[in-house]
Amino acid sequence: MSQKSPVPVSRSGRFTSGPGADVARFTESISFDWRLWRHDIQGSLAHAAMLQRIGVLTRTELKAIEKGLVAIAKEIEAGKFTWKPELEDVHMNIEAELTQRVPAGAKLHTARSRNDQVALDVRMWLRDEIIEFARELRDLQRALVELGSRYAHVIIPGYTHLQRAQPVFFAHHLLAYVEMVDRDYGRLLDCFNRLNVCPLGSGAIAGSTLPLDREFVAQQLGFVDAQGRAQITQNSMDAVCDRDFAVEFCALSALVALHLSRLAEDVILWASSEFNFIKIADAYTTGSSLMPQKKNPDIAELTRGKTGRVYGNLVALLTLLKGLPMTYNRDLQEDKERLFDTVDTVRASARLTAAMLRHTSVNEAACATAASDSALLATDLADYLVRQGMPFRHAHHAVGAAVALAEKLGKPLGELTSAELKGLNAAFGPDAKDCFNLGQAMSRRNLTGAPGTKEVARQLTRWKKALE
Ligand code: ARG
């Protein structure tokens, strides 16, 4: 049975000699697209099953092809398969090997082109990565909520312009990132839904004259909507050159990277001696080769740093696509490394950020000291005057005068006496100084989304439930 196929799988009779080594190196993609092997084989199995249904393959031929593909898959899995660069890409490598072993393998490429095949493989590969990535984003949200809950009572200064602004619960600051990641999660699901459409049957550009059952293939490969209806592309020309899904993924990943980078920057600042709000466990930091005292927040720094390549990948993809004439052009082979690198980078960044947060403790004393800065409550003092009926602009001015007086007297704002306040403005009553009670101040901030005692507890509970 297993006689060698006389028909070469790759270059047809048109080509008299193979490409030179340099040309082969330039054009090959097996060095990176081997990663698509599992999906390439899944796609071939579905295509073969369909070819049997429409009478192109006999039952025996289908069985032989299935056996051959499964055996190849096992060998690849076990690391025993030899990829041949002269066969260019993952599609040709697998098909050539199959045809060597199973003569009917020569029928597998009926009504299929590498153009619709690669479009299929990449969609299927990305679909699986998105499912993993979605889990990782959820886990990152969980790690943020856990850290916030562990230190639910800790208050820190909130910053604008990196200047102390108003007090917030530490958990509130972390929950801001939970919200950002939630939008990322939503974008990821959107991307999945638009991507989950089967291009197979589009051929090289113009479909096929054979009566393919595209719906069957789509069903086999899980390209279905919520009702289980097959999702197939509606224009063969679009289908073979559409890489919108890759761009969408890289764009949403750019936002993920941006959010992770901002979080990383906060972590780096907080871990500095100047802030000293948090301590990252040793396993998630590295030392300096020269300075024995150093403990560097490398995971956070690399997460921040890798944002550059994620943005770069997006711009590279957009640039790659912008001037392509319809339809498939070999340029499209360049999409994969950008996409693979983006997936690898953002997934690892999300995973390691979550792990780092789970190994981070909060220096409560340093946070308490920073949060006790009474200037953080200057706005509360202005709100006090508003409650006395003063227009806010005047109240702002009156508290400004109090800040100036405190500075002149060389003491914190909260330590001005009632008499000193009254001297500045008659509207300051004896209860004005109650504004500087931090606990009370936090309990007053209970608008939806505000960092108030009750509201932050409510948000923590809401997220815990949502992420269960
Ligand atoms: N390796 C190619 C790619 O990634 C597969 C498609 C090749 N198609 C072709 N007509 N040469 O785009």
Side-chain angles (χ1 to χ4, degrees):
M1 267 292 279
S2 74
Q3 104 219 38
K4 293 209 165 143
S5 163
V7 184
V9 164
S10 64
R11 324 181 65 78
S12 71
R14 222 188 124 165
F15 293 87
T16 46
S17 66
D22 212 19
V23 173
R25 254 196 305 279
F26 193 69
T27 54
E28 67 84 26
S29 57
I30 190 62
S31 54
F32 49 87
D33 71 10
W34 63 268
R35 289 181 69 165
L36 301 173
W37 70 266
R38 200 184 294 277
H39 302 95
D40 194 74
I41 289 177
Q42 278 169 11
S44 287
L45 286 169
H47 185 64
M50 185 274 293
L51 290 178
Q52 189 271 317
R53 278 165 71 91
I54 64 166
V56 172
L57 291 176
T58 64
R59 230 170 246 293
T60 320
E61 286 172 330
L62 173 62
K63 284 273 158 298
I65 287 174
E66 284 173 350
K67 225 178 119 194
L69 285 173
V70 169
I72 290 172
K74 280 202 183 117
E75 281 163 42
I76 299 173
E77 182 97 74
K80 288 189 187 126
F81 189 85
T82 315
W83 298 107
K84 297 188 184 126
E86 63 275 20
L87 289 173
E88 254 184 54
D89 57 27
V90 64
H91 325 292
M92 303 268 265
N93 265 270
I94 292 174
E95 195 192 332
E97 185 61 31
L98 176 73
T99 311
Q100 288 273 324
R101 302 176 185 198
V102 181
K107 291 189 178 179
L108 180 61
H109 215 49
T110 308
R112 186 175 72 169
S113 155
R114 277 187 292 160
N115 296 354
D116 58 351
Q117 190 177 0
V118 72
L120 174 78
D121 292 4
V122 177
R123 280 175 191 259
M124 284 173 57
W125 178 84
L126 188 54
R127 216 168 47 170
D128 283 356
E129 294 291 324
I130 286 176
I131 291 167
E132 293 303 315
F133 188 30
R135 281 200 194 106
E136 285 156 354
L137 287 183
R138 280 293 188 232
D139 193 55
L140 171 62
Q141 288 181 300
R142 238 172 262 128
L144 286 159
V145 171
E146 280 163 26
L147 184 60
S149 302
R150 224 180 318 143
Y151 296 98
H153 53 280
V154 172
I155 301 167
I156 57 170
Y159 296 80
T160 63
H161 312 268
L162 205 52
Q163 306 286 317
R164 284 183 182 173
Q166 293 185 293
V168 295
F169 280 100
F170 178 68
H172 189 65
H173 193 131
L174 296 180
L175 285 171
Y177 287 101
V178 176
E179 297 286 341
M180 293 179 222
V181 175
D182 210 53
R183 293 192 294 273
D184 293 331
Y185 184 85
R187 275 183 283 268
L188 193 59
L189 296 194
D190 288 347
C191 176
F192 184 97
N193 289 332
R194 257 189 303 279
L195 146 79
N196 196 26
V197 181
C198 187
L200 213 62
S202 302
I205 168 170
S208 171
T209 57
L210 298 168
L212 306 187
D213 187 346
R214 295 195 59 205
E215 277 83 5
F216 171 80
V217 173
Q219 300 266 8
Q220 293 283 301
L221 297 174
F223 289 98
V224 291
D225 65 11
Q227 284 72 44
R229 284 180 305 226
Q231 302 293 296
I232 59 176
T233 53
Q234 299 293 315
N235 181 297
S236 63
M237 292 179 76
D238 176 42
V240 294
C241 65
D242 170 27
R243 294 295 182 273
D244 291 2
F245 59 88
V247 173
E248 277 190 49
F249 182 86
C250 287
L252 76 87
S253 292
L255 264 175
V256 173
L258 180 157
H259 294 148
L260 292 180
S261 180
R262 294 188 70 178
L263 173 59
E265 174 61 12
D266 280 344
V267 165
I268 292 161
L269 281 175
W270 287 345
S272 69
S273 308
E274 283 67 20
F275 276 80
N276 193 26
F277 286 179
I278 60 169
K279 186 166 175 284
I280 307 168
D282 289 357
Y284 291 84
T285 61
T286 59
S288 155
S289 53
L290 186 114
M291 300 166 283
Q293 87 284 10
K294 287 295 284 291
K295 237 185 79 170
N296 300 324
D298 297 43
I299 291 181
E301 289 174 291
L302 281 167
T303 297
R304 186 178 60 185
K306 284 175 190 292
T307 305
R309 63 202 280 168
V310 177
Y311 292 179
N313 289 339
L314 172 62
V315 174
L317 256 190
L318 288 167
T319 311
L320 170 70
L321 297 168
K322 74 173 262 296
L324 290 185
M326 291 279 268
T327 54
Y328 181 87
N329 297 270
R330 191 62 178 273
D331 313 46
L332 290 177
Q333 181 168 294
E334 286 286 307
D335 63 352
K336 277 169 279 304
E337 286 163 294
R338 307 282 58 87
L339 181 62
F340 293 169
D341 185 65
T342 300
V343 168
D344 294 343
T345 305
V346 290
R347 283 193 55 192
S349 299
R351 270 199 318 273
L352 284 157
T353 300
M356 175 185 70
L357 292 173
R358 290 200 166 98
H359 292 86
T360 293
S361 56
V362 170
N363 182 351
E364 300 186 37
C367 292
T369 305
S372 70
D373 177 353
S374 56
L376 291 166
L377 294 167
T379 312
D380 291 49
L381 193 59
D383 285 348
Y384 165 87
L385 293 175
V386 168
R387 279 195 292 272
Q388 314 300 308
M390 191 183 285
F392 179 74
R393 288 294 173 204
H394 301 172
H396 186 281
H397 189 82
V399 175
V403 171
L405 177 63
E407 219 167 80
K408 199 175 112 204
L409 298 177
K411 58 182 179 183
L413 177 66
E415 255 142 66
L416 287 178
T417 62
S418 291
E420 283 163 343
L421 284 172
K422 188 126 206 129
L424 287 168
N425 197 301
F428 284 120
D431 54 345
K433 283 183 55 82
D434 293 348
C435 289
F436 296 109
N437 180 320
L438 185 58
Q440 268 177 32
M442 297 317 282
S443 70
R444 278 196 207 104
R445 298 161 148 72
N446 278 318
L447 298 177
T448 299
T453 315
K454 275 209 186 105
E455 175 61 6
V456 173
R458 188 181 76 81
Q459 294 284 352
L460 280 173
T461 307
R462 178 173 79 84
W463 277 115
K464 266 186 237 165
K465 272 214 190 96
L467 297 169
E468 254 166 26

